[in-house]
Amino acid sequence: MFYDDLSEYAYLDNDSFIDRESGFYGLWYRPVYTRLNIGWLEAGRRHSTGAVPTAFVEKLKAVQQVQWMNVCLGVHKCDLCPEGVAPEGNGEVRIPGEPGIAYAAPFLITHYITAHDYCPPQAFIDAVLSVDVDAWAATRWPDVPFPWVSDGAERMLE
């Protein structure tokens, strides 16, 4: 599935965080921020390439260790890789940007960066580098062990 970088995300109306340990939905909410697409690549479609800072890749991997969002029942195989060796992904990641903005990327984004030389927009790189994973405790949702739920989010499920 291809979307231009920085185009408005419209795939799902709501966002949901999943508890990585149990695999059950923990928080389903209506976002109050604008979601911008990052890293939705597809074979035959051009994407930006180039070197990215190692610290950025490491921070993005750290975020993906604690954030598991919008997990779907089906999986998406990287169609940039040869058949039979393509990794699969079935979720997304959110990175807070400037106020009112969150970046929406497929979970395969780290693969695209490391295996296919994808270079995301600088605004996304800067946003990832500014994430403080340790400070992402959801204090407004004390029963939900997930990082970064924006202020004003409307909880959909109890």
Side-chain angles (χ1 to χ4, degrees):
M1 178 176 338
F2 179 84
Y3 296 108
D4 287 316
D5 281 346
L6 302 176
S7 63
E8 192 164 334
Y9 175 96
Y11 186 64
L12 297 171
D13 292 333
N14 301 307
D15 278 345
S16 60
F17 281 103
I18 312 302
D19 179 359
R20 285 185 63 112
E21 290 183 25
S22 70
F24 292 105
Y25 285 91
L27 177 62
W28 180 31
Y29 67 97
R30 183 171 291 117
V32 293
Y33 45 82
T34 299
R35 299 169 291 176
L36 300 179
N37 292 308
I38 298 290
W40 296 88
L41 308 185
E42 183 176 285
R45 303 293 295 257
R46 292 179 153 238
H47 60 270
S48 59
T49 60
V52 298
T54 301
F56 159 72
V57 175
E58 295 308 312
K59 179 70 73 83
L60 185 56
K61 287 178 181 179
V63 167
Q64 289 179 300
Q65 289 301 308
V66 298
Q67 189 190 91
W68 205 19
M69 292 201 57
N70 293 346
V71 175
C72 299
L73 294 177
V75 296
H76 172 76
K77 291 184 179 182
C78 174
D79 66 358
L80 303 175
C81 285
E83 187 67 32
V85 297
E88 298 175 340
N90 69 338
E92 301 175 9
V93 63
R94 291 290 180 276
I95 301 293
E98 61 188 64
I101 299 291
Y103 298 105
F107 215 72
L108 282 174
I109 190 167
T110 51
H111 167 75
Y112 296 147
I113 292 165
T114 59
H116 302 293
D117 202 30
Y118 168 61
C119 181
Q122 188 63 47
F124 179 73
I125 293 171
D126 293 343
V128 168
L129 288 170
S130 70
V131 167
D132 182 352
V133 176
D134 296 330
W136 269 12
T139 56
R140 290 180 311 98
W141 311 103
D143 57 324
V144 178
F146 306 111
W148 188 71
V149 176
S150 67
D151 291 335
E154 178 187 346
R155 191 169 181 160
M156 306 296 287
L157 288 178
E158 293 297 325

